[in-house]
Amino acid sequence: MKKAFLMGVAALALCAGVAHAQELKFKPGEDARFNWASYEDFKKAHGDLKGQKLTIFGPWRGEDQALVESMLAYFKDATGIEVSYSSSENYEQQIVIDTQAGSPPDIAVLPQPGLFADLASKGFLVSLGDDTGKWIEDNYAAGSSWRKLGTYKGKDGKEQFFAFPYKADLKSLVWYSPENFEDAGYEVPKTMEELKALTEKIAADGEKPWCIGLGSGGATGWPATDWVEDMMLRTQTPETYDKWVTNEIKFNDPAVTGAIDEFGWFARNDAYVDGGAAAVASTDFRDSPKGLFSSPPKCYMHRQASFIPSFFPEGTKLGEDADFFYLPPYASKPELGNPVLGAGTLVAMTKDTAPARAFIAWLETPIAHEVWMAQSGFLTPFKAANPEAYANAPSKKMGSILTSATTFRFDGSDLMPGKIGAGAFWTGMVDYAGGKSSADVGAEIQKAWDAIK
């Protein structure tokens, strides 16, 4: 998985924590940013479960484990349930092993909808019910998108809502230096047409508009797949995107090759990229944004997900030295609205117990989101969560992009078979950056997909 790779996860032994051992980070009733009424209402409705146990297995380790446990402490306080959270480095494989062995946790958390879909089809997940699915649709921005993300076919072949989206990641971002923009007189574009015009303007001024790097060791090529996915959402309907991800629409279809060429418009023009087009495939993605901060700047813009500040020069202040804007849609395609590409985690029940049901209900409370929002690394499309709870201005701005989205789609390559999404698609984009046509690249990726059927 790209996300696991990007996080650079070191080998970790199974780690577990009991949420009730942790004190409440924010004292109930004392901070106006939090919806304490939702907390008290939940307490009244579920306060009769004291002494019962809940086991949760998920992807969060290290600092993220401390953050999720700070949220779980409130759930424990409200219900009296003894909560045990655990994880391991190979959590994806572990959850499969545990469910097949008949010893799953009560709650499983995964960032892979495809893996949950597989577990649901084998009867290893418990339906959360249509009411929960409708709640997501009504309360999340682009709610139908999020509901679809957690809806899979059960063992009986019928579609049901199995996985509650909780904690989102945002990819549709362009990073820039506000100071550099101001010095050059450039303005943040609001449409794709304006973004292309700005790209041409910067090049005409004798500067390089973009820094783009696809290098990532054995995963080289993945940054270009995100570009293509974003361009699919800006040139095609969400339904077309979904059909592409499942290969109902082929990789050599004009809808797909057109999106690849949209990426090429930026990446294959020597005048538009730092180092020229030939440097795109060989530049490491971790090094590529550094050109934003050199003096004079080597580039003015860099498209990458919300994690990229981890690779900015030490001491870079977000909102001052670096900022971001939403990768805009085409004004000529208003019917596509404001699409957002991203990823995130989903929560499913692997055992139907009263504590597990209570936990799913807990995720419907603003406080379950706001406690993590107020710390770090958490974004939510939940419209009732108070945006003022975000710990800083950049997080609040990212949250606003999520809640303004009309469509949300999960990273397409992560939904495709591994040999494609983490194989042929990556190498195909390297070939494309090197000069192969989108038609040839699309045909080669499709050939690889056909070979695994």
Side-chain angles (χ1 to χ4, degrees):
M1 295 298 301
K2 283 190 295 195
K3 188 177 179 186
F5 178 87
L6 294 174
M7 296 297 288
V9 179
L12 292 172
L14 184 70
C15 49
V18 180
H20 68 257
Q22 185 167 343
E23 292 184 5
L24 300 184
K25 187 89 175 177
F26 309 97
K27 190 171 181 180
E30 288 196 356
D31 192 323
R33 295 177 300 163
F34 301 112
N35 188 330
W36 295 118
S38 73
Y39 181 63
E40 293 302 326
D41 288 345
F42 183 83
K43 206 175 208 179
K44 290 174 185 175
H46 300 277
D48 59 348
L49 298 172
K50 187 174 182 179
Q52 296 197 43
K53 299 181 186 299
L54 179 72
T55 56
I56 302 174
F57 185 80
W60 299 305
R61 299 179 296 282
E63 183 180 337
D64 281 341
Q65 177 164 339
L67 289 166
V68 70
E69 288 182 343
S70 73
M71 178 276 289
L72 291 173
Y74 288 84
F75 174 72
K76 192 276 170 185
D77 185 69
T79 62
I81 294 171
E82 294 181 20
V83 184
S84 177
Y85 172 84
S86 63
S87 182
S88 70
E89 182 186 5
N90 299 311
Y91 58 88
E92 303 100 323
Q93 293 88 346
Q94 192 62 49
I95 192 62
V96 173
I97 292 169
D98 290 347
T99 52
Q100 289 178 342
S103 55
D106 301 309
I107 294 286
V109 185
L110 287 171
Q112 292 98 349
L115 181 50
F116 266 152
D118 185 56
L119 292 173
S121 71
K122 294 175 180 175
F124 292 136
L125 300 185
V126 179
S127 172
L128 302 184
D130 189 61
D131 286 349
T132 305
K134 189 176 186 311
W135 185 92
I136 290 289
E137 194 163 350
D138 293 343
N139 290 277
Y140 274 26
S144 60
S145 297
W146 290 101
R147 181 176 185 173
K148 181 180 177 66
L149 193 62
T151 300
Y152 323 117
K153 288 182 180 179
K155 195 173 184 179
D156 59 2
K158 295 180 182 178
E159 286 199 338
Q160 300 178 70
F161 186 71
F162 283 102
F164 192 111
Y166 176 76
K167 189 177 183 297
D169 297 309
L170 186 59
K171 290 177 179 265
S172 301
L173 301 176
V174 178
W175 297 85
Y176 71 106
S177 162
E179 183 179 352
N180 291 345
F181 262 50
E182 184 178 354
D183 289 347
Y186 301 143
E187 295 185 0
V188 170
K190 303 297 184 188
T191 68
M192 185 61 69
E193 289 90 345
E194 290 180 2
L195 179 62
K196 287 188 171 182
L198 176 60
T199 298
E200 293 169 337
K201 166 69 173 159
I202 295 172
D205 290 344
E207 306 290 344
K208 298 293 185 181
W210 293 91
C211 282
I212 304 175
L214 308 187
S216 188
T220 291
W222 73 258
T225 69
D226 282 1
W227 268 93
V228 172
E229 290 153 7
D230 252 330
M231 291 306 179
M232 279 290 289
L233 291 173
R234 282 154 183 75
T235 58
Q236 305 297 324
T237 65
E239 292 75 23
T240 300
Y241 181 93
D242 295 339
K243 290 177 180 178
W244 168 54
V245 167
T246 59
N247 205 220
E248 188 176 341
I249 287 178
K250 309 302 179 185
F251 248 97
N252 52 357
D253 187 278
V256 183
T257 57
I260 294 173
D261 284 330
E262 285 282 319
F263 164 61
W265 189 91
F266 296 92
R268 299 214 316 185
N269 187 324
D270 286 337
Y272 292 172
V273 188
D274 178 39
V280 169
S282 59
T283 300
D284 193 285
F285 85 91
R286 289 156 286 214
D287 295 329
S288 57
K290 293 176 181 176
L292 295 171
F293 307 103
S294 62
S295 183
K298 293 183 177 179
C299 63
Y300 282 79
M301 294 178 285
H302 180 74
R303 185 233 157 270
Q304 191 49 274
S306 53
F307 71 82
I308 198 61
S310 299
F311 302 104
F312 288 172
E314 188 175 349
T316 300
K317 294 182 179 178
L318 294 187
E320 297 180 24
D321 307 317
D323 205 347
F324 58 87
F325 58 86
Y326 165 61
L327 181 67
Y330 274 100
S332 60
K333 293 183 177 291
E335 69 279 7
L336 298 182
N338 296 316
V340 165
L341 178 72
T345 48
L346 298 113
V347 180
M349 287 198 308
T350 36
K351 288 181 184 175
D352 195 351
T353 67
R357 289 279 177 189
F359 184 68
I360 297 300
W362 167 250
L363 298 182
E364 295 181 3
T365 67
I367 199 70
H369 299 246
E370 291 164 351
V371 165
W372 200 336
M373 289 164 66
Q375 298 178 75
S376 67
F378 188 93
L379 300 174
T380 181
F382 186 14
K383 292 180 288 187
N386 184 7
E388 298 304 322
Y390 278 114
N392 51 59
S395 293
K396 182 180 177 182
K397 186 175 172 182
M398 289 182 193
S400 176
I401 291 173
L402 268 179
T403 52
S404 299
T406 54
T407 298
F408 180 90
R409 282 299 183 267
F410 206 88
D411 182 294
S413 60
D414 281 349
L415 299 177
M416 296 172 185
K419 290 183 179 179
I420 306 303
F425 196 2
W426 289 352
T427 56
M429 295 317 298
V430 172
D431 292 341
Y432 177 74
K436 272 194 180 179
S437 70
S438 60
D440 287 346
V441 166
E444 287 177 4
I445 299 172
Q446 186 57 46
K447 184 178 179 182
W449 202 322
D450 290 340
I452 64 176
K453 290 180 179 177

